[in-house]
Amino acid sequence: MNPNIYLPYVSEITDIKQETPDTRTYDVRIKKKDEAKLFVSRPGQFVECSVFGAGEAPFGLTTSPQEPGVMTFTVRACGRVTDALALLKAGDQIGIKGPLGNSFLDKIDSRGKDILVIGGGIGLPPLRSMIDHIFQHRKDYGEFTILYGARTPDLLVYKYELEKWSQRDDLKLLQTVDVGGPGWNGNVGVVTTLFPKLKLDIPNTVVYTCGPPIMIKFVIIELLKLGFPEKQIVSTLERYMKCGVGKCGHCCIGHKYVCTEGPVFDYTEIKGLAEEAF
Amino acid sequence: MPQNKNYSLAKSKVPELLSRLIKKGDEVWGPLAGENGDNFLGRLSSEKDLAGEYVNGYLGAKRYVFPQNEEMFRYRNAKGGIELNQPGEMPRAVIWGLRSCDMSAVNYFDSFFGRGAKSGPDWKSGEPLPDPLYEARRNRAVFITIGCNVAGPKCFCVCTDSGPFLSQGYDIQLADLGDRYFAEVGSPRGEEFVNEFKDLFSPAGNGDQLARRALENQAEKTFQQPVSFFAKAMRRMDQGHLKPEFWQKVADYCIGCGGCIYVCPMCSCFDVDDKALGESEGMRYRSWDTCDFAGFTREVSGHNPRATRADRRKRWFYHKVSMDYLEKNPVIGCVGCGRCVIACPGEVDMPTVIRWMRKTGDQSPKS
C-alpha cells in the first residue's frame, strides 16, 4: 500500500531559541530512524507542522542540514497553530510532513554568479536555508550580498547570525529598519533604499528574495528597473495553505499550486500567473 | 479482455440483487428518495430506499468518493509519545444507478486524486502519490451507471462530452429498455461483478444493443439547455477579454452562498482541521471548502489575495474553463450535470456565465 501523504512523522522539538518577543526558532528531529532517513531537505523547501489538536501549518525550513531527519524553522505566534506551538517546550512532540515543495536550486543555476539575497522581517528564515547552502559551497559562488530589513530593530531575527555574518569578509550584509529606535545606528527606510549603496554586476547576479508580499512587489519593480534579467529574480510566493501536498486547493495562484509547484518561482513564472501574486 | 461484453438484467431482479449485496455486508449506494421529490445519492439501508423515477439527485458520487467530512487519521497521546492511526479497511461499495455526468466527474477525480494523478505530491516516495483516502474509496467501489433516456430540464452533458451515455469509464453501464436493463461491462471489475451474480444477469438479447443505440440518439434530442459555447468562452477568458467589470457583474448577481461549489461533482477543495475525541486523543479530518468564501484565502495578517467576490467568482470559472487548467487536467471542470443551475439563487450558474462570456468578447473588443 502507498504511504499516506497526509500522515505526518512524529517528531520531537530538541531546542527552542527566542528570536523576538513573539517569534521562536525550533530545532526538530524526526523520532523514527527509518522515517528520519527519508527526510533530506533542500534550501527553500518547507514542512507542514502539526500541533495535534490545533491543526497543521506550513513553515519554511531555515537551514540546510547535512544530517537527514533534522530541521529548523522559525515561527511567529500569530494564529491557532502557531499560538499552540508557542506553548510547547523542548522535548514535546509534534508532527512533520515534508520536505515539501521545490527548492531555490531548482531555478536558474547560480553557481559562478554573484548572489544578492533580499529578506524582509520573518522572510529571512526561509532564505537562510539558501544562505547556509551558499556558505557550505562558498567557492562555487561569486560576490555575496545580503540585504535585510524589518519594521523595527526589535523585529530583526537571527541577531546572533547577523552578528557573525557582519564579521565575515566573504559576505556583505546591509540592514535596515522602517522605523529606528534607541541603539539603532543603521539605515532607516524600506529595503529598496539600500539598493543605491550597492555596486552590482547585474547581468551576472542572481537575486533571492522573500518577505511580505508588499516588499517583494516593490523589490521586483526596482530590480526590473535596474535591468535584472527576469530569470535571475527568484522569489518565494506565499498563500494560505492547508494540505501542503497539492490537493486542498487553498494555495493556488492562477493554475499554480504554491505547495507543489512552488514555493520558489522566478519572475518569468510569476508574471505569467492569471492572478496577481502580490 | 474482450471489449464490451453485454448482458441483460430484468428490472424485477434489481431488488433481489441489491438486497443480496446489503445482506452480504457491502455498502450499497444509490439514488435515495428524499422529501418532496428531492433525490440524492446516499447509502441504502434496504433495497426499498431506492428512488423510483429520477434524472439526477442534488448530490452525486462526490458524497461517496469524497465525503463532506472524512477522517484522515487519529492521534493519541500515549505514554511513549504520540501515536497515529490510519482509518481501517472498509467493505466493498456498490454504487448503483449513477448518472453518466457523475461517473465522468469520478473519472476526472481519478486523474486529480488517484490513479494516474499527474501533479501529485512526492514527499514520501519521490514519485507522485495518490490521495490515500480517495484511492481507498475508489478501489473498493464498483460503479454501475445508467444512461439517461431523457435529459433533465437543466442538463447539458452533451456539451461537455460526459453523457447522456458513456463509451468508457464505468464498471457496468445500464440502459433502460423498459422491463430490463441492457448492461455493458466496461472493466474487469464489472465483469467480476456480473460473474458473481450470474443467476441474475443473462446474455443480452438480439437487438438490445441496437435498441440502446437508438435510446442514446433519442436522448440527445431531449436537451433543453443550449450551452455549446465552452470553446469560445475559454478563448474569451484566455485572450483577456473578460475585464474586472465582467466579473463584477457576475459578483453582483452572486450572493456568495457557495451552493454551486457544494453541489458541483467536480469541485474538490477541502479544509483540514483537528477535532478532539477525548482528553488525550482526536482526529484530523477534512471537509468540503469553497473558493467562494472570503476565508478560503484570508491570511492570518488579515491580508486577502482574493478580497472581493468578483475575484472569487473569477477564480471559480477560471479553474473550470481556462486553457491553463485544461493543460493540467484531461477535461474541463464541468460535466454538464446542471446542478449549479438548480442551486444558484442569483442565476449566475455555469451555463449562464458561459453565455455571457461568449457575448462579452463580441461587445467589448477594447483592451
Side-chain angles (χ1 to χ4, degrees), chain A residues 65-131:
Chain A
Q66 313 280 344
E67 185 190 346
V70 299
M71 74 205 77
T72 304
F73 44 80
T74 298
V75 181
R76 188 165 82 204
C78 58
R80 192 151 46 109
V81 176
T82 53
D83 283 350
L85 189 62
L87 298 174
L88 299 185
K89 54 193 188 305
D92 285 343
Q93 291 190 351
I94 55 178
I96 293 292
K97 261 163 50 183
L100 302 171
N102 67 357
S103 164
F104 290 112
L105 304 180
D106 295 331
K107 300 299 153 191
I108 189 170
D109 185 356
S110 57
R111 284 174 298 181
K113 298 211 158 54
D114 293 350
I115 303 294
L116 172 60
V117 168
I118 306 173
I122 196 88
L124 182 66
L127 291 167
R128 188 179 155 209
S129 61
M130 187 62 191
I131 296 169

Side-chain angles (χ1 to χ4, degrees), chain B residues 220-340:
Chain B
E220 283 177 1
K221 292 177 188 141
T222 62
F223 285 86
Q224 302 166 35
Q225 187 83 14
V227 203
S228 48
F229 319 123
F230 276 96
K232 200 161 190 183
M234 288 175 93
R235 279 205 304 279
R236 292 283 184 256
M237 179 169 270
D238 276 35
Q239 290 168 354
H241 287 285
L242 307 176
K243 301 294 171 201
E245 307 87 80
F246 179 88
W247 297 111
Q248 188 53 52
K249 182 182 163 193
V250 176
D252 287 345
Y253 285 86
C254 170
I255 63 165
C257 66
C260 51
I261 292 160
Y262 274 54
V263 299
C264 180
M266 300 185 84
C267 272
S268 64
C269 288
F270 60 85
D271 195 5
V272 183
D273 209 349
D274 286 3
K275 182 181 175 187
L277 296 171
E279 280 213 352
S280 59
E281 60 188 312
M283 73 169 171
R284 176 152 303 160
Y285 69 100
R286 66 177 173 193
S287 52
W288 294 350
D289 202 349
T290 142
C291 59
D292 213 20
F293 294 166
F296 191 76
T297 48
R298 187 171 52 229
E299 295 163 13
V300 71
S301 63
H303 171 67
N304 193 345
R306 287 188 211 122
T308 68
R309 185 164 295 156
D311 294 336
R312 300 193 285 273
R313 286 285 77 191
K314 180 183 172 186
R315 165 69 199 167
W316 193 64
F317 286 99
Y318 170 81
H319 191 172
K320 302 233 165 252
V321 291
S322 67
M323 289 305 289
D324 289 341
Y325 267 103
L326 191 57
E327 282 171 15
K328 278 192 162 173
N329 300 329
V331 289
I332 61 166
C334 177
V335 288
C337 69
R339 289 190 178 94
C340 56

